[in-house]
């Protein structure tokens, strides 16, 4: 009848003793919000008999957007109208909807398998790695897998499901990676410092053969592109101190 009851009344079922309560939430704070697992152990308002922890690390916190990037993103926002029809629509939404994603690739399964169900779109994701962890372009597959948050993947799946055409089936997955080994022999000019040259070549190769966006590949290594010997030759021979490359 709209009147307030002065006595406390339960508005939902009260959890029984020793039950586990799980919550998912977002917070601001950029990179500072990416706390490690089991570090949130004190509730903001302590309650007797209640213990808290975060069993998984927080992910997705990134620095604030700069003006230059906002000027690029603005026209794209007007174009997309918050729906996903073209492959680029799926990719842009996946990349912007979660700070946990660095790159996304949308493709129809029929492109690669003639017996695939028509109208099935797969979106592959590459996790975001903070810049301070990318020293010299080095990044391991183990670290990439650590950052592949199931919560972020599920969030993107649900958001894209609300924006896809009705006749389109959708699956969102984290990308898979191939580990490669490069062995090459570079011959330096006589006046070149071999150790310094070797360091520059290694950094160039790490920045080239990389699933993330880098200064060498602003869009990242192309999804599904094979690594061939000429990629190595092109990358190494561009170093001014290299006379030639063999083996």
């Amino acid at each position: 009848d709209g009147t307030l009851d002065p006595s406390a009344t339960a508005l939902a079922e009260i959890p029984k003793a020793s039950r586990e309560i799980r919550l998912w939430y977002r917070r601001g704070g950029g990179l500072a919000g990416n706390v490690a697992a089991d570090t949130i152990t004190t509730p903001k308002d302590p309650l007797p008999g209640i213990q808290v922890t975060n069993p998984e690390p927080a992910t997705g916190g990134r620095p604030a957007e700069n003006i230059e990037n906002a000027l690029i993103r603005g026209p794209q926002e007007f174009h997309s109208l918050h729906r996903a029809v073209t492959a680029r629509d799926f990719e842009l939404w996946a990349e912007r909807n979660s700070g946990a994603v660095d790159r996304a690739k949308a493709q129809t399964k029929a492109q690669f398998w003639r017996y695939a169900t028509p109208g099935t779109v797969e979106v592959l994701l590459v996790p975001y790695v903070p810049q301070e962890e990318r020293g010299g372009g080095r990044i391991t597959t183990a670290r990439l897998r650590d950052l592949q948050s199931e919560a972020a993947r599920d969030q993107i799946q649900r958001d894209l499901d609300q924006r896809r055409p009705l006749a389109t089936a959708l699956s969102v997955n984290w990308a898979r990676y191939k580990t490669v080994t490069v062995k090459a022999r570079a011959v330096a000019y006589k006046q070149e410092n071999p150790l310094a040259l070797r360091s520059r070549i290694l950094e160039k190769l790490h920045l080239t053969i990389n699933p993330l966006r880098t200064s060498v590949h602003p869009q990242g290594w192309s999804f599904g592109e094979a690594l061939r010997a000429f990629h190595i030759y092109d990358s190494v021979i561009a170093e001014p101190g290299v006379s030639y490359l063999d083996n």
Side-chain angles (χ1 to χ4, degrees):
D1 59 358
T3 59
L4 297 178
D5 190 340
S7 60
T9 304
L11 300 178
E13 183 179 1
I14 299 175
K16 296 179 181 179
S18 301
R19 297 301 295 269
E20 187 175 282
I21 303 172
R22 299 185 181 185
L23 305 148
W24 285 261
Y25 65 95
R26 297 184 186 182
R27 72 175 292 274
L31 292 173
N34 295 335
V35 296
D38 298 317
T39 55
I40 303 175
T41 57
T42 305
K44 183 177 179 181
D45 299 313
L47 296 171
I50 299 295
Q51 295 180 330
V52 299
T53 190
N54 58 311
E56 296 183 6
T59 60
R62 296 171 68 168
E65 182 179 33
N66 57 41
I67 296 298
E68 291 76 13
N69 193 75
L71 291 174
I72 296 173
R73 182 175 56 80
Q76 295 174 339
E77 290 285 348
F78 283 110
H79 173 74
S80 70
L81 299 179
H82 297 280
R83 86 283 187 267
V85 178
T86 68
R88 190 59 182 143
D89 290 337
F90 281 93
E91 293 165 1
L92 285 173
W93 188 264
E95 291 172 2
R96 292 175 184 160
N97 191 43
S98 172
V101 173
D102 184 73
R103 298 176 60 201
K105 175 67 175 178
Q107 56 199 16
T108 60
K109 289 191 174 182
Q111 289 177 257
F112 305 98
W113 187 43
R114 61 181 298 184
Y115 301 107
T117 304
T120 301
V121 175
E122 182 179 32
V123 180
L124 297 174
L125 311 173
V126 175
Y128 173 78
V129 179
Q131 290 295 333
E132 59 266 24
E133 294 187 29
R134 305 187 193 186
R138 295 173 182 264
I139 185 69
T140 65
T141 54
R143 182 55 179 150
L144 289 169
R145 294 191 184 103
D146 286 342
L147 295 169
Q148 293 178 172
S149 163
E150 176 59 24
R153 188 210 63 79
D154 183 63
Q155 171 199 326
I156 293 170
Q157 172 86 51
R158 286 185 280 106
D159 286 351
L160 285 175
D161 272 331
Q162 296 176 357
R163 291 164 174 80
R164 62 174 172 79
L166 289 176
T168 301
L170 175 69
S171 65
V172 177
N173 300 297
W174 292 105
R176 295 176 295 276
Y177 311 98
K178 288 186 176 180
T179 302
V180 300
T181 300
V182 174
K183 297 180 70 175
R185 178 174 179 268
V187 178
Y189 289 110
K190 290 183 178 180
Q191 69 274 18
E192 182 64 49
N193 182 327
L195 293 178
L197 178 61
R198 181 178 185 275
S199 177
R200 294 201 305 271
I201 291 175
L202 285 174
E203 181 174 355
K204 185 73 172 292
L205 288 175
H206 282 297
L207 291 171
T208 300
I209 312 168
N210 198 314
L212 303 171
R213 292 183 171 96
T214 69
S215 56
V216 175
H217 275 296
Q219 299 304 318
W221 186 271
S222 298
F223 284 82
E225 182 178 0
L227 178 66
R228 295 184 170 88
F230 73 81
H231 290 121
I232 308 303
Y233 279 93
D234 286 350
S235 180
V236 176
I237 205 65
E239 275 296 325
V242 175
S243 175
Y244 64 90
L245 183 72
D246 62 9
N247 294 340

